[in-house]
């Protein structure tokens, strides 16, 4: 089945630093990738939609300068949390849609970000 | 505003019990409804439903969609401790292809 790889799985950083999270579709081309944020015991909150070769579409309330998304190829999207602060600590998870079947959503394993 | 509501929020049962999880939605441009199981990290896909009244089954799990009443149910029979997880329901918007997630139902199965 389709596999989405997300790295790193866990990162601890100091306040003010930037953190890059990668999301790769391993055996299919992902024309669209989604980035979610999940707080403990809460559901997935969509942050942005990433389309290959174009600018990401951000949800209301999500700062595009804070959360930089790049989708340079059909198999890779990256999320960079710039100048991270403790309130950015969260579980970030990416998902990808198979561009050929355009069905189902496959999830990466998530990244637990802790900002000290 | 589009929304997806799941109930109950949490549930504790004993092994062998049957559970029914509910998902109701108000999504203007409905395309599909999906169920996922989230244990620790990545949600894993269970079912995708697009048509009313057609039950989908996978082992002890089954699901059905009612597009008239705008809800879906996920049934788990003969529950096992390994079924303990958060079950997420998501509805896909056919215009934007975005997925709107419900808050999830946290299921705990006791031995």
């Amino acid at each position: 089945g389709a596999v989405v790889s997300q790295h790193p799985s866990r990162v601890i950083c100091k306040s003010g630093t930037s953190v890059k999270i990668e999301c790769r579709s391993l055996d299919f081309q992902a024309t669209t990738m989604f980035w979610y944020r999940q707080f403990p015991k809460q559901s997935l909150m969509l942050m942005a939609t990433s389309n290959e070769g174009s600018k990401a579409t951000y949800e209301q309330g999500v700062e595009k300068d804070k959360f930089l998304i790049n989708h340079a190829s059909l198999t890779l999207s990256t999320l960079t949390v710039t100048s991270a602060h403790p309130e950015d600590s969260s579980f970030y998870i990416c998902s990808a849609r198979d561009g050929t079947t355009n069905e189902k959503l496959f999830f990466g394993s998530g990244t637990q970000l802790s900002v000290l | 505003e589009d929304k997806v509501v799941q109930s109950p929020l949490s549930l504790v049962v004993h092994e062998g019990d049957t559970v029914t999880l509910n998902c109701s939605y108000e999504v203007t441009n409905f395309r599909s409804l999906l169920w996922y199981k989230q244990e620790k990290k990545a949600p894993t896909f269970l079912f995708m439903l697009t048509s009313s009244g057609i039950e989908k089954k996978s082992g002890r799990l089954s699901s059905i969609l009612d597009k008239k009443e705008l809800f879906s149910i996920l049934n788990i029979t003969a529950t096992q401790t390994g079924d303990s997880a958060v079950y997420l329901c998501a509805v896909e918007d056919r215009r934007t292809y975005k997925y709107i997630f419900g808050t999830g139902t946290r299921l705990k199965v006791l031995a």
Side-chain angles (χ1 to χ4, degrees):
Chain A
V3 176
V4 175
S5 174
Q6 185 174 342
H7 293 282
S9 59
R10 187 175 187 87
V11 59
I12 301 171
C13 68
K14 290 183 179 179
S15 190
T17 59
S18 293
V19 174
K20 181 187 277 190
I21 303 169
E22 287 191 353
C23 181
R24 292 180 186 272
S25 56
L26 297 185
D27 53 1
F28 66 98
Q29 292 184 330
T31 51
T32 304
M33 288 187 175
F34 301 94
W35 286 95
Y36 294 88
R37 186 171 179 177
Q38 188 176 33
F39 292 102
K41 297 189 178 181
Q42 294 189 26
S43 191
L44 301 170
M45 183 190 80
L46 180 64
M47 297 174 66
T49 303
S50 167
N51 294 298
E52 186 265 337
S54 64
K55 288 184 179 180
T57 305
Y58 290 82
E59 294 301 299
Q60 196 171 8
V62 178
E63 299 175 58
K64 59 182 68 176
D65 294 331
K66 173 84 173 164
F67 300 99
L68 301 179
I69 291 172
N70 183 277
H71 193 155
S73 76
L74 283 171
T75 59
L76 173 65
S77 177
T78 61
L79 167 67
T80 301
V81 183
T82 62
S83 188
H85 290 283
E87 57 265 29
D88 299 323
S89 299
S90 186
F91 186 65
Y92 294 87
I93 190 164
C94 72
S95 64
R97 177 201 304 278
D98 187 331
T100 54
T101 65
N102 210 32
E103 295 183 341
K104 301 180 188 176
L105 199 60
F106 298 99
F107 285 89
S109 54
T111 297
Q112 184 63 52
L113 171 64
S114 299
V115 185
L116 305 177
Chain B
E1 186 182 333
D2 293 336
K3 63 179 179 180
V4 176
V5 178
Q6 290 184 246
S7 64
L9 289 179
S10 65
L11 192 57
V12 181
V13 300
H14 288 92
E15 270 193 319
D17 288 349
T18 293
V19 297
T20 298
L21 310 183
N22 303 289
C23 175
S24 63
Y25 61 92
E26 292 177 22
V27 177
T28 306
N29 298 292
F30 175 91
R31 182 169 186 259
S32 62
L33 185 146
L34 297 90
W35 283 96
Y36 288 88
K37 177 183 181 182
Q38 186 177 28
E39 294 179 78
K40 289 186 178 178
K41 293 187 176 180
T44 52
F45 173 80
L46 295 175
F47 298 109
M48 184 171 81
L49 305 158
T50 55
S51 302
S52 273
I54 300 173
E55 185 183 51
K56 294 217 171 178
K57 274 183 79 74
S58 176
R60 296 176 294 104
L61 277 68
S62 64
S63 184
I64 197 162
L65 173 68
D66 186 328
K67 289 170 75 173
K68 184 180 176 185
E69 300 298 328
L70 308 183
F71 77 92
S72 173
I73 60 172
L74 174 68
N75 275 321
I76 309 175
T77 59
T79 52
Q80 302 170 358
T81 54
D83 295 327
S84 297
V86 175
Y87 290 84
L88 296 168
C89 170
V91 173
E92 184 187 8
D93 184 312
R94 60 178 163 80
R95 282 185 309 116
T96 65
Y97 295 105
K98 290 181 185 178
Y99 294 79
I100 304 151
F101 279 84
T103 50
T105 293
R106 185 172 296 273
L107 173 65
K108 188 170 179 66
V109 182
L110 303 176

